[in-house]
Every structure is written in structure tokens, then in C-alpha cells.
Amino acid sequence: MPDWFIRFPSEINVDITGPIDRAIDYMVRQWDPFFDGITKILRSFLNGIEYIVDRIPWWLLIVLVFIVTWRVSKKIGKSILYSLLLFLIGAMGLWPMMNITLTLIIASVIISILIGFPAGIIASSSERFNSILRPLLDTMQTMPSFVYLIPSVMLLGLGKVPAVIATTVYAIPPLIRLTSHGIRQVDKEVVEAATAFGSTKWQSLIKVKIPQAMPTIMTGVNQTIMMAISMVVTCSMIGVTGLGQEVIHSINKLEAGRGFAAGISIVIIAIIIDRLTQGIVKKGESRIEE
Amino acid sequence: MKNNTILEVKNLSKLFGKNKKAALEMAKGGSNKVEIEKKLGVTVAVNDVSFKVERGKFFVLIGLSGSGKSTVVRCLNLLQKPTSGDILFEGRSILDFNKKELLDYRRTKVAMVFQSFGLMSHRNVLENVAYGLEIRGIKKDERESEARELINMVGLEGWEEKSISQLSGGMRQRVGIARALANDPDILLMDEPFSALDPLVRQDMQFELLSLQKKLNKTIVFITHDINEAFKLGDRVAIMNEGKIIQIDTPENMAANPANEYVESFISSADKGQIYSVKHIMQTPLCMLQPKDGANRALKLMRDNGVSSAYVVGEKLELIGILTLEDAIKVKKGEMSLNNAIIREILTTKEDTLISDLLSVAATAKYPIAVIDNENHLKGIVSKAAVISSLV
């Protein structure tokens, strides 16, 4: 039996590494002004959010979490627990770090919504757009993030800006998918009714389809936030400060306690945001479902 | 005479699939639905259907599921685009409408009621009913007062602010009907509106729909698979099978002369009392007299005709009451006046009353039931025996 029958023949060789390297090289050199522009816009956007987050008094945030938890769960125990957990982050001395991390998460989620929501709507009505989008979303979700983290550093420099882009790339797919899915699964007769009464396409989208799909869309937002949080540590690899960096530093210095403190803080943020957004989703669902 | 046709469907066909042209040729060549689907993979939902609907009439399309009836009704407001054929609204093809005209047509001329209601669960009852007005850009207080009026009309006052999930099936469909009426359309398209409701609620809704239609004088195109419902509601009924209309007629004529075995088997499942109305079984009263005729003449008439009571009518045949044989003898003896002897509180009915609705009344009636028209003129009588024998 010939060797090539079992082993993949080494004579067959497709080289994609070279072209990709050259393309990125070319982009770094030729498109510099373009990426500079993007960097500037994103940086001022991030600075704006940071400015606001930094000026929220710590106690106000705790009170806010208490009130919102009460409103969605109507459970006093939960409200106190979440407020205490948030207080714990401050007590561990990690409040400033948390603010930086929150800034990054908020910025990524806002960008994800701004892009993902319209993209989801288009995908819900265009089969063609959907068929292009689907493999792209699969790639974005499964491609190891380091792979595009490094080129984005080459193009955008170290720091928060490439981190926001990398986080957005990773976090946006569920929002697009669930927006599209939510709109597609709106009851057929309800959509027919909207059309039959003489709604324009725009009216039936704004007044019927989106409100009907809102619980599903909010589930997408929830997942997008969760995925953005999970990128925090990865992003600290490219020089973003905050809770993620605390984790990396403590690993490098073998300080298990410090690592856990930061890790627990990330978990606390994740739990609070997840429960609150899910609570909002459930409230919306109970209103819409029969 | 004025042309009273509001909606005319001409040779309408609707096919689903890729090779529609070839399939349409096959259908014209007389191939049936199954052959075409097998050969070309095209579904012929509606095949060369034509009918006219007159203004203010109740037109019913009946067929089993898959007969194409829902597709036909969806073509009437272009939720489905016909593959071929034409649909004329007041003599104008709705297929020629531009975007704005189509929106206007849907907003003000036709409204639709759906089988599973098609209500928007994120809006409350009031907002659902006002939806059609809202998208036309009518101001909030104006559309809400209009919507409240309709909510009252369908008997849901007090439920305006409730969410749809709090309503029962029957109430939901009332919201659906109120929403459809909100735009004051000429035509109501109703796609099996009562099929999802339980039988008792369905009967109530049918009755209320009929009285609403009479009151508002709307044209209704109604879809159902229930022959009893079709015969009860329809002025004219079209029966569909495999995308074709087999027969269009009044319920009475259809029951009397079914076009083929299919129609016959469909009708045999119907309750006869639902088809036949009083006018099919009423008789001419043998014995009629006027108050001025006097007791002697009354007695002679009853004797000659072999009956024990006579109908007393005015000069223009307007019904006054009944005179019985016993009372006529008393009048003759001078024991009472003729005027007092006439029994004025008697049972009456109308020509188009369904026999099934008359059954319980007939069972307790002492005398034959008088059939009168809207001006109280005596048209005939219905005996208890005739009512009961018509059902066997």
C-alpha cells in the first residue's frame, strides 16, 4: 500500500499564512490613517463612558442594585445579598479596577447593540443576508480570540481600543442570532393581522414584530453581556487594566489569594448583571406570552 | 338596476412552488391537484375560482382543510398574491393598486378576523382595537374613543385596559371582531373565526355576528369547515374541494339540489333544522276572517274547513289574533263580545327563522304558529306537526 494512502501527502501544500501576513502588513502600513481614525473615535467613546462610570458614587451604585433587584424579583433577601456582594468588591479594594472593567463591558455591549440589533433585523427578513451571516457568526464565536487579538494590536495599538473590538467580535453573535430568531418566530397570524390592517413594512416592524420579539432579543442582550464579561481576562493580555489584569498579575506572581479576590469580583459582577437582565426578560415575557 | 356587486373574483388561481407556469398549463388542461404536485412539485392551492359577493350579503366559503379556502380569502386583501386571475373591488382590479392604494384599501375597505385571533399580546384590549386607526395616524383620544365604542358594541366594556392573556377564547375573538370593525370597512374577511371556540361560545358568537351584520350592514366573506355554521350564517354558500369551487348557491337550494355526491355527502353531515327555515314548511292559513265578519260567518268558515280556530286579520292582512271554535260559539250565544273573544297574545315567527330555532317554541304551542313579516302581515302558519316532521 502506498504511503500517501494512509498519510496525508506532504506534496499537497496550500499556504495561507504568507498571504494573511502580507495582507496585515499591508493594512498596517497603508491604512494607518483609517485605523487611527477608528482608534480616536473609540477612545473618546470609551473615555466618555469611563468619565460617567468614575463619577457614580459607590453607595449610589449599591443602592441602585438594591432597588432594581427589588423591582424585578420582589425578594428582599436577594436585594440585600446582591448589594452586600457589590459592597464586598469595594471592601476588597477592587472598586477602581471594577470601574475600568465595567467601562470596557458597557462600551462593548453598546457597540454590540448598535451593530447587532439592526443586523439581526436585516437577517430576519433577508434569506440571503442570513446565509452569509451565519458562517461568519459561527467563525466569530469559535475562532480563538487570541488569533485576532494580535493583529488588532498591530493595527490599533495596545490598550482598550483593540480590547473593545475583540470583545465586541466575540460577544455580538448571540444578539444578532436571537434578534433574527425572535422576529422570525413572531406568530404568523399576528404579522398577517398587522399587514391586513394596512401597516407599512416599517410600522409592522416597529409596532408589532420588535415588541413581540423583545423577550428573545433581551435574552440575546443578556448573553452578549455574559460573553463580554468572559473576555475580561483575555483582554488584559493586551494591556487593559482592571480586574482581568489583577488575575494575570497574581498568576504571574503566584499570589493565589489576590487572584481569587479579583476572580470572585468578576463572578459577582457577572451574577448581578445576569440575574438583573434575566429578571427584566422574564417580566417582558410574562406580559407577552399567553 | 344598480350594480350591487362589491367584490368579484375572476378565474383566480394560486400556486406554490417553482415551476408555476407549467403547472398552471397542466391545471388548465384538466389535470388534478395530486397529478400536478407529483409531476412538478407545485401545490395548486386555488384553481380557477370565480365568484361574486354582493354588498351587504353574507358569503360563506366552506371546505375541508387544504381545500384552498383560506388562500382565497388571503388573496382578497393580497396577503397572498394571486398567480393568475383577477379580483375586482367595486369594479376595479385590486391587483392594479399601487402601494398607497393598497394600503388605503386594507385600511378602510377590508378588514380581517383570524382563526387564532392574531391579537398583539404586547398591547391591551383597547390598543389592539385601536391598532388599525393608529397606523392611519388618527389622534390618540379620537381613536381611543372610537375603540371604546366598538368594545362596548361587542360586549367587552370594562375590559379595555386588560391584557390579552387575561381573556377567554370567546372574548379574544370579540376583540378581533372589534378591531376589524374599528376601521369601518366595507368588507369583513373572516378566516374560520369561531373554529377555535367551544360549541356553546360559538353559537353565541354566530348569533351576535349575524345581528352585528344586520345592524352595520357589512359585507362578510366567511370561511368555515362546519356546514351547520355555513348554512346558518350564509346568504350564499360556496363549497370548495381541492382548490375548486364545486357549487355556489343559497343554503336552501344547495340542500335541495346538491351539484354532486361530494356536496351531498357534505350536506348530509348537516343538521337539517339548520338548513330549512320556516318558509319551507309554512302553509297558507285556511281560515282567515276580519273582525267585522261576525261570529256566524266565523263558525261557518271553521265548519267548512274542518278546523277549530281561525286567524283574525285586518284589512291589509295584518295579524290581530286567533278566534277559537269554543269562543265563537260563546259570542254567538251572547256570552261575550267578539272583541274580547280574540286571543291577541299568540306565538309568531318570521319566514327566515331556522326550524331548529323554532323547535322548543313549537313543542309548547297550543295553536299553529303564525308567520308574519316585519310589518306584522300574516304570511302563513306553521303547525307543530310540520315542524317535527321536517326534521325526520
Side-chain angles (χ1 to χ4, degrees):
Chain A
M1 212 182 285
D3 192 42
W4 59 261
F5 194 77
I6 302 291
R7 291 174 211 288
F8 194 89
S10 57
E11 287 81 10
I12 300 174
N13 183 9
V14 178
D15 181 33
I16 67 160
T17 52
I20 291 177
D21 286 344
R22 277 193 292 281
I24 289 173
D25 226 38
Y26 177 81
M27 276 169 25
V28 171
R29 244 174 281 155
Q30 300 299 315
W31 293 4
D32 198 41
F34 172 70
F35 287 108
D36 256 11
I38 290 186
T39 311
K40 268 184 196 141
I41 293 168
L42 283 177
R43 188 162 291 145
S44 46
F45 176 61
L46 273 160
N47 288 341
I49 292 171
E50 194 169 15
Y51 182 88
I52 297 166
V53 170
D54 269 350
R55 268 153 196 77
I56 299 173
W58 63 273
W59 51 268
L60 181 63
L61 196 62
I62 292 177
V63 170
L64 265 175
V65 165
F66 183 88
I67 293 171
V68 177
T69 313
W70 169 252
R71 290 202 61 173
V72 298
S73 72
K74 297 280 174 218
K75 281 183 187 135
I76 196 79
K78 238 185 196 176
S79 313
I80 294 171
L81 177 68
Y82 289 175
S83 307
L84 276 179
L85 285 172
L86 195 58
F87 183 79
L88 181 67
I89 297 179
M92 292 189 295
L94 293 170
W95 197 276
M97 305 281 180
M98 179 190 76
N99 275 355
I100 296 169
T101 298
L102 274 182
T103 302
L104 191 71
I105 294 168
I106 292 169
S108 314
V109 170
I110 289 175
I111 296 170
S112 295
I113 291 173
L114 288 179
I115 298 170
F117 186 56
I121 290 170
I122 298 170
S124 75
S125 61
S126 160
E127 225 20 83
R128 196 181 214 178
F129 184 72
N130 202 31
S131 62
I132 299 168
L133 198 63
R134 205 174 310 150
L136 189 67
L137 294 181
D138 289 337
T139 312
M140 283 159 74
Q141 265 184 313
T142 49
M143 177 79 80
S145 38
F146 290 106
V147 172
Y148 51 86
L149 212 50
I150 290 150
S152 57
V153 168
M154 290 167 74
L155 294 168
L156 303 162
L158 282 173
K160 286 178 198 159
V161 172
V164 164
I165 290 177
T167 306
T168 304
V169 168
Y170 182 68
I172 205 170
L175 178 60
I176 299 178
R177 270 188 228 276
L178 285 165
T179 301
S180 163
H181 174 70
I183 291 175
R184 276 168 193 266
Q185 50 110 54
V186 173
D187 185 63
K188 190 177 151 265
E189 277 198 350
V190 175
V191 179
E192 273 189 331
T195 313
F197 285 103
S199 311
T200 59
K201 275 192 179 150
W202 188 246
Q203 282 173 328
S204 82
L205 183 69
I206 299 289
K207 288 179 188 280
V208 178
K209 287 185 189 167
I210 291 175
Q212 287 279 311
M214 213 54 205
T216 314
I217 295 171
M218 283 306 294
T219 305
V221 172
N222 169 279
Q223 288 194 20
T224 292
I225 296 172
M226 291 303 109
M227 294 185 70
I229 294 174
S230 71
M231 275 292 279
V232 164
V233 176
T234 312
C235 286
S236 63
M237 303 268 189
I238 53 168
V240 181
T241 51
L243 293 171
Q245 200 188 38
E246 276 292 295
V247 174
I248 300 287
H249 280 177
S250 62
I251 292 169
N252 291 342
K253 295 182 185 168
L254 292 176
E255 292 174 312
R258 193 179 162 196
F260 266 107
I264 288 168
S265 299
I266 294 173
V267 172
I268 289 172
I269 293 173
I271 288 178
I272 292 176
I273 296 179
D274 178 58
R275 297 302 186 273
L276 294 190
T277 48
Q278 273 196 22
I280 295 166
V281 171
K282 283 218 182 86
K283 265 195 149 179
E285 255 171 13
S286 67
R287 209 161 53 94
I288 287 190
E289 250 157 40
E290 292 161 50
Chain B
M1 203 181 118
K2 199 173 128 238
N3 185 4
N4 234 354
T5 304
I6 188 164
L7 203 59
E8 183 174 5
V9 174
K10 281 181 175 170
N11 307 102
L12 177 74
S13 292
K14 172 72 187 174
L15 288 74
F16 294 99
K18 282 201 169 137
N19 201 355
K20 287 183 203 145
K21 247 185 187 165
L24 205 58
E25 287 305 311
M26 268 183 88
K28 274 182 187 153
S31 304
N32 73 25
K33 199 178 158 163
V34 182
E35 285 168 16
I36 296 169
E37 183 142 21
K38 222 175 189 176
K39 200 165 172 197
L40 296 168
V42 176
T43 310
V44 184
V46 178
N47 187 359
D48 196 22
V49 159
S50 301
F51 60 87
K52 285 181 185 177
V53 182
E54 275 174 34
R55 193 180 294 278
K57 293 288 180 192
F58 207 122
F59 186 85
V60 179
L61 266 172
I62 180 168
L64 301 175
S65 61
S67 62
K69 55 194 194 306
S70 282
T71 311
V72 170
V73 84
R74 277 169 172 71
C75 286
L76 300 181
N77 59 0
L78 295 187
L79 282 180
Q80 301 273 7
K81 210 171 174 306
T83 310
S84 75
D86 205 354
I87 297 161
L88 306 177
F89 173 77
E90 293 182 332
R92 227 191 120 195
S93 170
I94 66 170
L95 300 173
D96 293 341
F97 284 167
N98 62 30
K99 252 187 186 166
K100 193 184 162 295
E101 286 170 320
L102 178 60
L103 281 187
D104 280 346
Y105 173 68
R106 284 173 174 165
R107 285 174 179 183
T108 58
K109 305 296 186 197
V110 287
M112 194 156 177
V113 178
F114 296 85
Q115 180 174 9
S116 32
F117 323 124
L119 298 176
M120 297 146 190
S121 49
H122 63 285
R123 293 166 159 253
N124 66 22
V125 170
L126 185 67
E127 289 163 342
N128 263 286
V129 175
Y131 182 80
L133 299 165
E134 182 182 325
I135 56 172
R136 279 164 63 190
I138 286 166
K139 284 202 196 82
K140 192 169 170 158
D141 38 332
E142 201 177 318
R143 69 181 187 239
E144 289 197 343
S145 77
E146 179 80 11
R148 275 174 210 282
E149 222 166 88
L150 285 155
I151 290 170
N152 289 348
M153 194 191 285
V154 298
L156 282 180
E157 55 270 59
W159 292 81
E160 291 87 350
E161 315 295 332
K162 295 278 195 297
S163 82
I164 300 301
S165 58
Q166 289 169 285
L167 308 185
S168 68
M171 293 165 103
R172 287 181 197 195
Q173 198 54 292
R174 281 165 202 267
V175 177
I177 292 172
R179 177 176 66 176
L181 290 172
N183 275 330
D184 195 24
D186 296 338
I187 305 175
L188 273 185
L189 305 176
M190 309 186 85
D191 181 21
E192 301 210 31
F194 305 145
S195 298
L197 307 177
D198 67 60
L200 276 177
V201 178
R202 195 184 311 165
Q203 283 199 358
D204 278 353
M205 296 290 286
Q206 289 166 348
F207 178 73
E208 281 179 47
L209 178 63
L210 270 180
S211 56
L212 266 180
Q213 191 231 358
K214 294 260 149 66
K215 192 158 122 200
L216 304 172
N217 199 27
K218 300 285 178 203
T219 310
I220 297 182
V221 178
F222 190 100
I223 305 282
T224 181
H225 60 256
D226 175 358
I227 189 83
N228 288 326
E229 188 169 67
F231 282 175
K232 188 170 183 180
L233 298 174
D235 292 317
R236 290 207 312 148
V237 175
I239 187 160
M240 279 189 81
N241 185 32
E242 295 192 341
K244 282 186 172 258
I245 287 186
I246 299 176
Q247 188 176 5
I248 308 182
D249 221 324
T250 62
E252 294 85 2
N253 285 342
M254 193 177 271
N257 313 301
N260 62 17
E261 275 173 20
Y262 185 81
V263 179
E264 210 174 325
S265 70
F266 223 111
I267 290 170
S268 68
S269 67
D271 173 2
K272 276 190 182 167
Q274 301 271 13
I275 312 165
Y276 290 115
S277 56
V278 165
K279 67 171 171 259
H280 294 102
I281 57 163
M282 73 180 184
Q283 298 152 334
T284 320
L286 291 169
C287 224
M288 278 195 283
L289 43 96
Q290 294 189 348
K292 63 178 186 208
D293 288 344
N296 279 332
R297 178 156 165 73
L299 282 169
K300 182 179 185 304
L301 263 173
M302 283 187 234
R303 215 169 22 237
D304 289 353
N305 288 299
V307 292
S308 60
S309 61
Y311 286 87
V312 186
V313 293
E315 296 206 344
K316 285 174 187 156
L317 279 182
E318 62 271 28
L319 181 66
I320 297 173
I322 283 181
L323 182 65
T324 63
L325 188 61
E326 293 92 343
D327 288 344
I329 294 169
K330 281 181 191 165
V331 174
K332 196 188 171 192
K333 284 179 183 165
E335 283 169 20
M336 63 199 301
S337 73
L338 181 65
N339 210 15
N340 286 338
I342 297 169
I343 302 165
R344 285 161 205 272
E345 274 149 33
I346 56 169
L347 293 168
T348 59
T349 185
K350 298 269 166 65
E351 272 186 319
D352 54 2
T353 305
L354 292 176
I355 290 167
S356 57
D357 294 340
L358 199 65
L359 202 53
S360 58
V361 184
T364 60
K366 264 159 112 182
Y367 315 108
I369 299 162
V371 183
I372 53 170
D373 64 10
N374 289 331
E375 278 81 47
N376 199 34
H377 296 133
L378 185 66
K379 306 290 279 188
I381 58 167
V382 179
S383 68
K384 198 193 294 189
V387 170
I388 292 162
S389 66
S390 73
L391 295 176
V392 270

